[in-house]
């Protein structure tokens, strides 16, 4: 009986403890954004590794899934990724719009005025997020959208 309770306790621990990066001690996974308008994505964590492709959208949200020295292993919303030098990344939080003509409301209320409609693929800065709604800024226009319509913030994550 004692072994069963110890087993149940250890099974719960991974949910309680969040993985941390070995270099930064920041949570893994976590979201960041592309600092410049281009970022080389390499097969491995060094300049010796081949460039597999280049991210070409300033502010693109990326998910950090690994760390090695000055390199971060990242993925985009399609799960495509590789290794990027940390100097190409920013802690500024952005999101990419998943659905075409996503409404940007004046308040976190679907009955409020719509400030704009965002096209799929638009990158917007996240100003804050609660459990359901996120306040975004895109092309100088601010407003609220439902968290499920964007990629770049965790389902349970809140941003102040």
């Amino acid at each position: 009986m004692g072994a069963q309770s110890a087993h149940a306790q250890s099974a719960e621990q991974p949910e309680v403890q969040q993985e941390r990066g070995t270099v930064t001690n920041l949570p893994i996974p976590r979201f960041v954004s592309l600092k410049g308008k281009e970022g080389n994505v390499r097969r491995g964590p060094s300049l010796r590794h081949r460039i597999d492709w280049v991210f070409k959208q300033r502010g693109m949200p990326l998910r950090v899934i690994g760390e090695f020295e000055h390199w971060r292993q990242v993925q985009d919303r399609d799960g495509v990724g590789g290794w990027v030098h940390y100097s190409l990344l920013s802690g500024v939080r952005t999101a990419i719009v998943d659905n075409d003509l996503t409404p940007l409301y004046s308040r976190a209320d679907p009955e409020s005025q719509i400030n704009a409609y965002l096209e799929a693929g638009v990158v917007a800065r996240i100003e804050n997020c609660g459990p359901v709604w996120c306040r975004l800024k895109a092309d100088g226009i601010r407003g609220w959208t439902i968290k499920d319509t964007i990629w770049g913030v965790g389902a349970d994550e809140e941003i102040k």
Side-chain angles (χ1 to χ4, degrees):
M1 189 145 193
Q4 285 180 340
S5 62
H7 175 69
Q9 192 175 23
S10 66
E12 292 175 20
Q13 272 186 324
E15 294 175 2
V16 174
Q17 296 176 354
Q18 179 160 13
E19 185 180 341
R20 295 268 172 189
T22 57
V23 177
T24 63
N25 199 36
L26 293 172
I28 301 277
R30 68 178 177 277
F31 286 97
V32 295
S33 59
L34 186 63
K35 191 183 288 187
K37 61 183 176 182
E38 284 192 354
N40 291 337
V41 183
R42 296 181 179 271
R43 183 156 296 180
S46 78
L47 293 174
R48 292 186 313 248
H49 286 89
R50 187 175 109 197
I51 296 171
D52 282 337
W53 55 86
V54 180
F55 287 136
K56 291 194 171 219
Q57 189 169 12
R58 181 187 305 274
M60 173 191 282
L62 299 166
R63 182 181 5 231
V64 175
I65 60 169
E67 300 181 344
F68 180 78
E69 294 178 357
H70 294 304
W71 297 86
R72 303 298 173 260
Q73 187 177 20
V74 298
Q75 290 179 328
D76 68 9
R77 73 175 172 170
D78 298 321
V80 175
W83 292 88
V84 175
H85 194 269
Y86 80 100
S87 66
L88 301 176
L89 302 175
S90 168
V92 172
R93 295 299 299 274
T94 62
I96 193 162
V97 176
D98 281 332
N99 304 320
D100 205 23
L101 300 179
T102 294
L104 206 56
Y105 296 96
S106 60
R107 295 189 320 270
D109 176 357
E111 300 298 316
S112 66
Q113 175 182 331
I114 295 173
N115 293 343
Y117 290 95
L118 303 178
E119 294 179 5
V122 165
V123 172
R125 185 171 183 154
I126 298 173
E127 294 187 333
N128 63 56
C129 276
V132 177
W133 291 86
C134 291
R135 182 173 164 89
L136 305 178
K137 180 179 180 184
D139 291 331
I141 300 170
R142 288 183 165 90
W144 294 86
T145 194
I146 296 174
K147 189 188 286 187
D148 291 349
T149 65
I150 58 175
W151 187 87
V153 62
D156 297 330
E157 185 181 12
E158 293 190 26
I159 300 171
K160 301 292 181 209

